[in-house]
Amino acid sequence: MTEERMDFSLGEDHEALRGLAADVFARFGDDERIAAMERDGVPYDEQLWSSLLTTGLIDAVLPSDAGGGDAGMVGLAVILEQQGIRLGRVPLASTGTAALALARFHGADAPLLASLRRGDARIAVATADARSGFVVRRDDGRTVLTGGCPHVHMAGSCTHVLVTADDAGIERCYVVPLDRDGVTADVFDGISRTAHADIVLDRVPVGESDLLGTAADGAAPAAWVRHRYRTAVAAIVSGVCAEAIRRTAQYTSQRTQFGRPLSTNQGVALRAADAYIDTEIVRLTMLDAAWRCDVDSDPEAAVLTAAWWAKEGGVRVVHATQHLHGGMGADVDNHIHRFFLWARELDMVGGPAPLVLDELANTLRTPDPREAVRP
């Protein structure tokens, strides 16, 4: 048989999408503006979000039968890389993932998808892990959700939360408004000064309209969302690392010590080279995962590989870039410090690196059922 191999070059449409996304994020992402938003306690960039909608960037990733541009997960990934480069303060990874899921399982007529495209809704994602989760109960003839997640990324900027919940051994997805009775969202500032939330659901009633997909879909929607959200987070980390290493190369090439640039010292050059290699691996594993989400029915191994590299390699990159800035890297007003904070914060989304590595090991130990039919 012929094995599928990935072409890492982007097509013309995805290149155009990346260019448009770079323009939009650059317009709202200069260093002074981001610093001012932090200083003024503005956790969410409403102007940037509005521009993402009006330029059609979110519509572009949706399937064509939902009125979108069919750019898919690869399209969302190249947009999110630009968010990471500019540290755009919007819940795009979670809302973009939810928009793709709504289009995939409910089509263009989903009321929440229409609301999202108008700018009336933004959706956070809370997937269960070993530390937290939600369960489905039957209470006096009603279906209710109970449980909690202590760190839902950027939920403080959202109107809804998509949760995965255990329903007698089947993981299902529900999308719940944050203002529904029984929902408590304790909003707090993260180290990046964006707004997250500790979300608790106390017997929150849900119906069929809140369920992603149908009961007959079983756990498929939850796995579908988990794969894409993890890839989306890795895409932001890819952008964060790329910009941190670019700024570090510029800084160490321009700053001189003992009459020569810092970058000419072997210790600096080798550490910068290692960080660059880590950055490239984060980017390539992320693109592989995004592509497999679009074309492969079971992208789990590629997604977990990308998620692990984003956590392990991404944190290593920002530690190196901060260190190579010397004392300037520890200055919280220096922009390089913000890339460090973003990567450290994103490292917590979806569980820590060792947990992801355990999942990857279990996935690789499980025989691929498709191998049984391969000659």
Side-chain angles (χ1 to χ4, degrees), residues 52-205:
L52 291 171
L53 291 168
T54 56
T55 54
L57 279 169
I58 294 179
D59 280 348
V61 305
L62 299 176
S64 55
D65 57 7
D70 224 10
M73 193 61 219
V74 172
L76 181 60
V78 300
I79 297 172
L80 289 166
E81 277 194 300
Q82 298 305 314
Q83 178 184 5
I85 288 171
R86 296 292 181 174
L87 305 182
R89 301 165 74 80
V90 288
L92 179 58
S94 57
T95 303
T97 299
L100 285 169
L102 289 166
R104 166 68 176 79
F105 292 102
H106 296 286
D109 297 332
L112 185 55
L113 180 60
S115 180
L116 187 156
R117 297 169 87 171
R118 288 194 305 270
D120 299 332
R122 298 175 298 281
I123 304 173
V125 172
T127 54
D129 57 35
R131 305 165 303 171
S132 60
F134 303 91
V135 294
V136 180
R137 305 278 191 211
R138 307 292 184 263
D139 182 9
D140 291 335
R142 304 181 307 164
T143 299
V144 299
L145 297 179
T146 296
C149 186
H151 180 196
V152 183
H153 192 67
M154 288 199 176
S157 305
C158 293
T159 59
H160 294 69
V161 62
L162 184 158
V163 303
T164 59
D166 180 71
D167 184 4
I170 299 174
E171 190 178 32
R172 302 192 190 278
C173 276
Y174 290 87
V175 186
V176 181
L178 287 173
D179 60 0
R180 180 170 294 179
D181 287 346
V183 178
T184 302
D186 185 8
V187 177
F188 60 92
D189 284 348
I191 56 176
S192 70
R193 297 291 184 269
T194 51
H196 315 303
D198 174 359
I199 291 182
V200 175
L201 306 184
D202 182 12
R203 293 179 296 170
V204 175

Side-chain angles (χ1 to χ4, degrees), residues 17 70 91 120 176 248-249 253 256 258 263 283 288 293 301 303 317-318 347 363:
L17 195 62
D70 224 10
D120 299 332
V176 181
T248 301
S253 297
T256 59
F258 305 117
S263 58
R283 183 179 70 88
D288 181 46
C293 282
V303 168
V317 168
V318 294
D347 179 39
T363 298

